[in-house]
Amino acid sequence: MSYTTNSNDGRPFREQTNFTACFVPNAAGILVSVPASSVRRSDMGYWSFSRGTNRCLWNCDLPGGVSAGAWVISNTSDLTVAKDQTSGDGTANNASSITVAVGGGTMLQSVTLASTNLLFQARIKRLVGSGTWEMTLNGGTNWVNVTSQISASWSDVFILLDTITNPQFGLRGGTVGDKIAFEFGDVWSTLVSATQVSRKPQHYYARQTTTATNVAQSRPAAISTDAGSWNGTGGSLFLTPYALYAEVSSEGNAGSMGVVTGITDTFCTILPDGSVTFAQGGGTSAAVAAGTFQFGLNNVNKIVGQINAAGQKQITVNGVDGTTTTGGTFPASLAHIDIGTNGVGSRSLWGVMRKIGVAPGAYFSLADRITLTT
């Protein structure tokens, strides 16, 4: 079934909000265009990131940004920029290149902004040379060597800086003749601090020129008034005993992340320490220990959460069984079920939901749960 619009046509869940059109990656590493009011989905699954305002203007068209005065190159000609690269979505001349003409040449952009934790990130790939590239968020007071993050393929290159006011961000190239491709520069406030750099911040990709864009959070959900079978006029799978299965990858953030969330009653949640909890109605949540969930977009985590008619709850993650708890209850009705969030940006999955399914009436044995999640 298609998930490309927010139509109430009986699909299990749909996009419930309007947001900025953007791009998400597919399994081949190609950026796929997602229109407004559509679930942010590729062949990898559903992508869920927090909302954010990108302060980086002219983030793909660097020559346009230089002409407009947004990007300032040291001594005018230390770096040469051109809009001559094929973008990650396969469009010719829709990304830019930067060539070092004078070693140590810089390209900077300034923003007026209250003190906050900031991320500066861009998709970059090396075209020529092997010299040093650095990034800054404070006008060069601190240059961060990002050379190890750059390869011959597009990759997200980033730095973070805590509690910075009025950032001045950009790049510095160290070796004459070196050349990189650049697109989707992004500067935004982040829940992730510089002390958490092992968890790579992610975001939706959107082009912009003269105006800072608020790239809103996506919210796939099943609403009680929809025609779907997950939660709607066709019935709800969460009002009777069920088993939930999900495969997700997450970079994580400083708070808890929602796998599935239903108002007041249904919660499957990933915590920053790598524990995962499963709650349904009353009683204590079932949980697996810290460190069970493996962060990183290359790690596919398999989760089973289930509840039976007696209110007994169990959770198993990546072949590790958690606690069994009691007291679970089912509401008479359920306003909504959210997928990969609970409608709040800080509770976004910060990654990709690769698979999700609900089996009404199922209650798997320990052996089956281990098999399903290993």
Side-chain angles (χ1 to χ4, degrees), residues 312-328:
Q312 188 177 64
K313 293 166 285 186
Q314 295 175 323
I315 186 169
T316 307
V317 178
N318 295 336
V320 177
D321 197 42
T323 57
T324 296
T325 61
T326 58

Side-chain angles (χ1 to χ4, degrees), residues 140-205:
T141 299
N142 300 101
W143 285 105
V144 180
N145 190 325
V146 294
T147 309
S148 63
Q149 297 185 46
I150 301 174
S151 70
S153 301
W154 285 114
S155 59
D156 290 302
V157 180
F158 75 99
I159 61 171
L160 299 107
L161 189 62
D162 293 344
T163 58
I164 179 161
T165 303
N166 299 331
Q168 188 179 34
F169 55 89
L171 299 97
R172 179 166 70 177
T175 303
V176 174
D178 268 18
K179 185 176 183 179
I180 58 172
F182 180 104
E183 67 173 357
F184 295 109
D186 197 351
V187 173
W188 65 302
S189 304
T190 177
L191 297 171
V192 178
S193 73
T195 61
Q196 297 173 301
V197 292
S198 61
R199 298 184 184 179
K200 186 175 183 181
Q202 298 289 325
H203 62 96
Y204 301 112
Y205 302 105

Side-chain angles (χ1 to χ4, degrees), residues 255-275:
S256 56
M257 293 140 279
V259 177
V260 172
T261 305
I263 186 169
T264 71
D265 283 284
T266 304
F267 297 93
C268 184
T269 303
I270 305 162
L271 302 178
D273 63 3
S275 60

